[in-house]
Amino acid sequence: MKTDTVFKQAFNQTLTLLSAAGTGAPLPSENALSADLGVSRTTVRKVLAHLAERGYITGQGRNRIIATAVPDDAHFPHTETIATAQQVEVHFMEWMLRGHAQPGTQINELELARAFGVGTTGIREFLNRFRRFGLIAKRPNAGWVFMGFTRDFAMELFEIREMFELRSARALVRLPDSATIWPRLRAIERQHHELLNQIDARFQDFSDLDNRFHRLINSAVPNRFIDDFYDIITFIFHYHYQWNKRDERLRNETAIREHLAYIQALFSRDLVQVHAACSLHLASARKTMLAAFDAH
Amino acid sequence: MKTDTVFKQAFNQTLTLLSAAGTGAPLPSENALSADLGVSRTTVRKVLAHLAERGYITGQGRNRIIATAVPDDAHFPHTETIATAQQVEVHFMEWMLRGHAQPGTQINELELARAFGVGTTGIREFLNRFRRFGLIAKRPNAGWVFMGFTRDFAMELFEIREMFELRSARALVRLPDSATIWPRLRAIERQHHELLNQIDARFQDFSDLDNRFHRLINSAVPNRFIDDFYDIITFIFHYHYQWNKRDERLRNETAIREHLAYIQALFSRDLVQVHAACSLHLASARKTMLAAFDAH
DNA sequence: AAATTGTTTTTTATCGATAAGTGAAAGACA
DNA sequence: TGTCTTTCACTTATCGATAAAAAACAATTT
C-alpha cells in the first residue's frame, strides 16, 4: 500500500506554521493551507484532524484556533517523511558509491529489495528510471548490470555538457535587451557576490547555486532535451560532491570567480569573450572531476 | 505471473529450423540451440519436451531426431509471442498517434491498463521508461500528462540532432586512415547504391538504412549520451514514418542522394565539404518532418 | 455569489505472491 | 577429457489487492 509520507511531511510543516503564528491565532482556510503546503485538501483535512485530536488546535469548521504551543517532539521523524521511491534512490547511490559496485557487477532486484527494506516493485521502478543516467544496462529476463562510474563516463558526460552550455551561451548573447533573462542574471550575480563574501561559512551552498546558474543559462532559449540532460548532470554532481570533499572550499571559491567572469562576459554581449569565459569554467570543472578519479 | 512468450517464440523458431532440416535429420545439441535461439537452455528443453510430446521429434538425450514434417498450424499465434511490456508500447503508441492524446491530456494508469488488457504495473513501468522521450511528464501522486507531439518538440529534437551529428562528422574526419570506420563506411555506401538502383521496389527499406547510417557515423567516436539520444530519434522516426506516408518514395530517394554526397565528403576529409553536405541533409530531414506538422 | 467546509469517487504507490525463465553444479556419455 | 544432459536453486515479469492521496461534487456559511 501507499505510505503516508505526504501526510507526515505536511503535518510537520503545519506544526512549524503553528509555532510561527502563536497561541490563539486563527488558522488559514483549508484551501490556503493546501496551496501553501503543496498537497491536496484531503491531506490538509487529515492533518487538521490529527492536530485537533492531539489538542493543538480547537474549534471546528471555519473557526479553528491554535490552542497550545506545540512541543518539539510532536514532529514525525524525518525518515518517515520520505517516500519509498526516494529512499530507494538514496540507498542505491550509497550502495553504488561505497564501492559495492565494480563495473560489471550484477544487480539483483530481490537482494536490493531486502537490503533496502522495500518491495521489488520499488527497485524495479527505480532501475527503470535510473537507466537513463547511463550507469546501468538491462539484459531482458536476466537482470541488470552496473556499468561503472568510470573516467570514460565522466569524459563523455562533459563532452555533451560543454556542447550544450556553449550553445546556450551563444544563443543567450543574441537575445534583445528586453529579454527577462537579463534581470534574472543580475539577481544570480548578486547571489554569487553574497556567497563569495561569506565563503568560509557557506561554501557548501555553492552546489545549489551552481546548479541554478547553469540551468538559468539554458532556460533563456530552452530545449527540453538539454533540460533533461541537466537532470543527469545535477544528479551526478550531487552525489559526486558528497563523496569527494577534498579542497571543497577552494574549488568552490574558484568556481564562483569563474562564474562571475562568465556572467560579465555575457553582459558584454561579446561572443568571443563569452566563449572564452565559458570554456575556461567548463574546463576547470572537468579537471576537478577527473582529478577525483585519478586520486582514487 | 510471467508470460511464456519467450518459450512460444523459441518454439516457433525451432519449428522453422525443423522444416529446413527435414525429416530424419538429427537435432543440434541443447547448447547449440540455446545459443542459436538466444534463450537459456532451460527454455530450449521446454521446447524440446513439447516437440517430443507432439511427436514432431523422437528419441531422447543425445539421439533426438526429427520425426515428421511439421504442419503449418503448429505455430503459436504471433500475438502470444509478444511480452506484455512490448505490447504496452505498441498499444500506447497507437493510442497516442490516433489522436487520443491532445497536448495536456491526463493519462490514467488504470484506464490504460484495462484498455490494453494488462496489469497497472506494466503501464507504470512503460510510462517510467517512456518518460525519457520527452513526450510525457509526471506530477507526483497525481499521474501523468501527455505533452503533445508538437512542432516545438520536433524543432528541439532536431536542434540536438544537428549538434550531435556535426560533432560526430567533424570527429570522424580527423580519424587516421587505419580506423575501422572507413571500410564500414564503404560498405554502407554500397548499400545505398543498391537501394537506389531498386528504389521503386524497396523504398520502404530506407528507414532502416538511414538509422544504421547515422548510428555508424556516431560510432566512430562514440559517446553513450549521443547513442541514447539516437534511441529517441529512432523511436520518433519509426512511428512518425508509419503515420506520414506522403511522398515517401521521393523523400527517400532524395535522402539517399544526400547521404551519398555526405559520404563522399567524409572520404574527402575536407571539413568544409563535410560540414556543407551534413548540414544540407539535416536541414532537408528537418523540413520533411516539419512539413508533416503544417499539413496536419 | 464567492469562498469555505463536508462527502464521495477516482487514482496512485506499494506490497507480496507466483509462474516463467536463467544459470550453475552435478552427473552421464562417447 | 571435454561435451552434453539432468536437476535444482535462484531471479525476473506480471498480476491483483489495498491504503493513501487527489479530485470532483455537494452542501454550507458569510
Side-chain angles (χ1 to χ4, degrees):
Chain A
M1 79 173 154
K2 230 172 165 170
T3 55
D4 58 354
T5 53
V6 173
F7 157 68
K8 282 175 175 166
Q9 181 161 327
F11 185 85
N12 284 355
Q13 274 184 267
T14 311
L15 288 184
T16 308
L17 288 178
L18 257 49
S19 301
T23 309
L27 280 175
S29 79
E30 293 178 359
N31 279 310
L33 273 173
S34 159
D36 227 38
L37 301 172
V39 300
S40 73
R41 208 160 58 78
T42 309
T43 304
V44 168
R45 301 193 98 235
K46 195 170 161 189
V47 168
L48 258 28
H50 263 247
L51 289 170
E53 193 185 309
R54 307 201 173 182
Y56 301 145
I57 63 174
T58 52
Q60 47 182 321
R62 326 190 165 211
N63 300 92
R64 282 188 270 239
I65 291 175
I66 302 176
T68 64
V70 178
D72 274 357
D73 63 347
H75 287 75
F76 286 105
H78 179 68
T79 42
E80 290 180 24
T81 66
I82 302 170
T84 309
Q86 282 170 65
Q87 276 187 55
V88 170
E89 181 190 308
V90 174
H91 274 136
F92 183 83
M93 293 310 290
E94 178 94 351
W95 177 87
M96 202 173 85
L97 293 176
R98 288 251 177 279
H100 261 269
Q102 296 304 307
T105 303
Q106 222 38 58
I107 296 171
N108 183 317
E109 293 178 3
L110 197 60
E111 189 186 313
L112 285 187
R114 281 205 261 265
F116 300 174
V118 302
T120 49
T121 316
I123 301 290
R124 209 143 218 288
E125 192 172 316
F126 170 77
L127 292 174
N128 266 315
R129 276 186 293 122
F130 188 66
R131 176 197 229 159
R132 81 190 183 96
F133 292 92
L135 287 169
I136 58 175
K138 180 172 200 179
R139 293 173 308 148
N141 290 311
W144 302 82
V145 188
F146 178 64
M147 313 283 287
F149 182 43
T150 61
R151 204 171 196 282
D152 275 353
F153 178 88
M155 300 251 285
E156 290 172 21
L157 186 78
F158 267 96
E159 186 189 2
I160 306 299
R161 188 196 185 188
E162 285 165 26
M163 221 149 70
F164 283 172
E165 180 99 12
L166 282 170
R167 165 270 184 198
S168 293
R170 265 197 298 266
L172 204 157
V173 164
R174 273 189 245 106
L175 290 178
D177 285 340
S178 57
T180 59
I181 183 72
W182 302 116
R184 290 201 287 158
L185 206 53
R186 274 283 177 239
I188 211 162
E189 182 184 32
R190 213 170 307 122
Q191 292 173 45
H192 276 81
H193 280 299
E194 281 163 18
L195 187 52
L196 194 57
N197 284 337
Q198 311 165 43
I199 186 71
D200 286 311
R202 287 182 52 206
F203 67 92
Q204 309 231 19
D205 295 358
F206 174 70
S207 174
D208 176 58
L209 183 62
D210 182 62
N211 188 237
R212 282 188 292 121
F213 173 65
H214 289 291
R215 280 189 190 263
L216 178 64
I217 301 238
N218 174 239
S219 74
V221 182
N223 180 306
R224 75 195 72 192
F225 300 103
I226 298 184
D227 270 341
D228 278 359
F229 185 74
Y230 256 101
D231 291 347
I232 305 183
I233 299 264
T234 304
F235 187 86
I236 297 291
F237 278 31
H238 175 74
Y239 285 101
H240 180 254
Y241 283 144
Q242 277 192 1
W243 168 49
N244 172 31
K245 293 288 189 192
R246 177 187 307 210
D247 299 328
E248 191 179 5
R249 207 210 68 112
L250 179 64
R251 269 186 355 226
N252 289 355
E253 187 178 337
T254 311
I256 294 175
R257 292 190 196 283
E258 288 169 2
H259 277 191
L260 286 168
Y262 183 9
I263 294 172
Q264 240 182 337
L266 287 169
F267 276 119
S268 82
R269 314 287 274 275
D270 180 291
L271 207 57
V272 179
Q273 251 189 76
V274 167
H275 205 285
C278 176
S279 298
L280 191 76
H281 173 55
L282 293 173
S284 129
R286 171 162 51 175
K287 218 171 70 186
T288 301
M289 180 163 282
L290 292 184
F293 283 97
D294 298 333
H296 201 67
Chain B
M1 76 172 157
K2 231 172 165 170
T3 55
D4 57 355
T5 54
V6 173
F7 157 69
K8 283 175 175 164
Q9 181 161 326
F11 184 84
N12 284 354
Q13 275 184 264
T14 311
L15 287 185
T16 309
L17 288 180
L18 257 48
S19 301
T23 309
L27 282 176
S29 78
E30 293 179 357
N31 277 311
L33 274 173
S34 159
D36 227 38
L37 301 172
V39 300
S40 72
R41 249 191 51 249
T42 309
T43 303
V44 169
R45 305 195 94 235
K46 196 169 160 188
V47 169
L48 258 27
H50 264 247
L51 289 171
E53 193 185 310
R54 306 201 175 183
Y56 301 146
I57 62 174
T58 51
Q60 46 182 325
R62 317 184 172 214
N63 301 92
R64 282 188 268 238
I65 292 174
I66 301 176
T68 64
V70 177
D72 274 356
D73 62 347
H75 287 75
F76 286 106
H78 179 68
T79 42
E80 289 179 24
T81 65
I82 302 170
T84 309
Q86 282 170 64
Q87 275 188 55
V88 171
E89 181 190 309
V90 175
H91 274 137
F92 184 83
M93 292 310 291
E94 179 94 348
W95 177 87
M96 202 175 86
L97 292 175
R98 287 253 177 279
H100 261 270
Q102 296 305 307
T105 304
Q106 227 32 61
I107 296 170
N108 183 317
E109 293 178 5
L110 196 59
E111 191 185 312
L112 286 187
R114 281 205 260 265
F116 300 172
V118 301
T120 49
T121 317
I123 301 291
R124 210 142 217 288
E125 193 173 315
F126 171 77
L127 292 173
N128 267 313
R129 277 185 293 122
F130 189 66
R131 177 199 230 158
R132 82 192 187 95
F133 292 94
L135 287 167
I136 59 175
K138 181 172 202 183
R139 295 173 308 147
N141 290 311
W144 301 82
V145 188
F146 179 64
M147 313 283 286
F149 182 44
T150 62
R151 204 171 196 285
D152 275 354
F153 177 88
M155 300 252 285
E156 290 172 23
L157 185 79
F158 268 96
E159 185 189 2
I160 306 299
R161 187 195 186 190
E162 286 166 24
M163 225 152 61
F164 283 172
E165 179 98 12
L166 282 171
R167 164 271 186 200
S168 292
R170 265 198 298 267
L172 204 158
V173 164
R174 273 191 245 103
L175 291 178
D177 285 339
S178 57
T180 59
I181 183 71
W182 302 115
R184 291 201 286 158
L185 206 53
R186 274 284 176 238
I188 211 163
E189 183 184 32
R190 213 170 308 124
Q191 292 173 45
H192 276 81
H193 281 298
E194 282 162 19
L195 187 52
L196 195 56
N197 285 336
Q198 311 165 41
I199 186 71
D200 287 309
R202 287 182 51 206
F203 67 92
Q204 308 229 20
D205 295 357
F206 174 69
S207 174
D208 176 58
L209 183 62
D210 182 62
N211 189 237
R212 282 187 292 120
F213 173 64
H214 290 291
R215 280 187 191 264
L216 178 64
I217 300 236
N218 175 240
S219 74
V221 183
N223 180 306
R224 75 194 72 192
F225 299 103
I226 298 185
D227 271 339
D228 279 358
F229 184 75
Y230 256 101
D231 291 346
I232 304 183
I233 299 260
T234 304
F235 186 86
I236 298 292
F237 279 30
H238 175 73
Y239 283 103
H240 180 254
Y241 284 144
Q242 276 194 0
W243 169 49
N244 173 31
K245 294 287 188 192
R246 176 186 309 209
D247 299 329
E248 192 180 3
R249 207 209 68 109
L250 179 65
R251 269 186 354 226
N252 289 356
E253 186 179 338
T254 311
I256 294 175
R257 292 190 196 284
E258 287 169 3
H259 276 191
L260 286 169
Y262 183 9
I263 293 172
Q264 240 182 337
L266 287 169
F267 276 119
S268 81
R269 314 287 273 275
D270 179 294
L271 208 57
V272 178
Q273 251 190 76
V274 167
H275 204 285
C278 175
S279 297
L280 191 75
H281 173 54
L282 293 173
S284 130
R286 171 162 51 176
K287 217 171 70 185
T288 300
M289 181 165 280
L290 292 184
F293 284 97
D294 299 333
H296 202 65

